[in-house]
Structure formats: C-alpha cells, structure tokens
Amino acid sequence: MVRTGGTEQYGVSPREDFLIAERPGYLLHKAGLVLVEDVEKALGAVGMRIRSFFVLAALAGGPELSQQDLSRLLNLDPTTVVTVIDEMERDGHVERRRNPADRRRYNLILTESGRAALATADRVATEVESAFFGALSEDESALLRKMLGTLMAGRWPASVCSD
C-alpha cells in the first residue's frame, strides 16, 4: 500500500525481495484478514458484527452447540462467546436451553428472529465473498474449497463432525 495525498493505493503484487509473500501460510492468513475486514465493514452497514454472523451461521443448520462448542469452533475466548451470546439473546436471535444430557451446559438455539438476521447477513457476506473471489473461475473456486477442506480434515471440533 502506498499513501499519496491521503489516499491509499494497492499494487498488483509485492516486490520480489518481500520474502514473506512466498509463504503460503502468510498468504492464506493475509487473504483471510482482508476478507474478514471487508465482510465486517459490509455487515456493519446492516447492524451486525462478523462474530455474530459466524455464531448465527454455526447454529443454523447443524447439531445443537454449546457456548464451549462455539468457543472451539470459532477460536474465540470463552468469555467473549458468553458476551456475544448475551447480546444475541437480548436481541432475540439466540435462546439458551439446558442440555438434557448435561444440566451444567446450555444448548444454543437459533430463533426465528435469528434466522431472519442470518438471512440478511448471509446475503451481505455472500456479496462480499463473490467480489473477493471474483478473480477465480468457478473451477478454481471449487478447487480452493476442496484444498481448504483437505487442509482442515481432522481439525474440526468433534461437536460439528459426524461419526
């Protein structure tokens, strides 16, 4: 990024002597940060933060998850998850229910209001992702998802895996 007269300009690619740009781990990390920043900004326009979007999306279609499950799944500190869930519960998007098998735990349930908020946020995030990945062909996008799936195999929390 180059600053000229108060504006930011982005180059096409980094210099050859910028060696970190050759590391796939760094490139993956940097691409993730850029995408998250873009999605966060777009979600802000509809009154949502990306953490809330991730929670809603995680609760939408899979198994019943606890706050501890979300902490592991989203790599968030457990106290942060509690705060996020408290906010979402106040907004009527999520409901806590005692886990019948373990009365010390709560399962998190997406409400109808939460599903509506997720639908809006999902449209916004999909638009941003489409723009971000727009330079890739459909085949390249599918290959990227497959490669990321391969890299993530065996690294998901048990709560979101099938037996």
Side-chain angles (χ1 to χ4, degrees), residues 101-129:
D102 183 351
R103 302 286 297 160
R104 297 169 295 174
R105 293 172 55 110
Y106 287 94
N107 291 336
L108 302 170
I109 309 299
L110 196 58
T111 65
E112 286 305 313
S113 172
R115 288 188 188 286
L118 174 59
T120 299
D122 190 61
R123 279 192 298 277
V124 169
T126 298
E127 287 176 16
V128 173
E129 288 177 351

Side-chain angles (χ1 to χ4, degrees), residues 125-140:
T126 298
E127 287 176 16
V128 173
E129 288 177 351
S130 293
F132 185 82
F133 292 109
L136 301 178
S137 69
E138 285 185 36
D139 288 344
E140 289 170 327

Side-chain angles (χ1 to χ4, degrees), residues 158-163:
S159 58
V160 298
C161 294
S162 57
D163 296 332

Side-chain angles (χ1 to χ4, degrees), residues 39-49 124:
V39 172
E40 183 82 57
K41 183 177 179 180
L43 287 173
V46 295
M48 187 175 289
R49 294 174 52 198
V124 169

Side-chain angles (χ1 to χ4, degrees), residues 55 67 70 81-89 94 96 108:
V55 168
Q67 291 174 172
L70 281 175
V81 171
V82 169
T83 301
V84 171
I85 297 302
D86 286 346
E87 291 171 7
M88 295 178 77
E89 194 172 35
V94 173
R96 287 179 172 105
L108 302 170

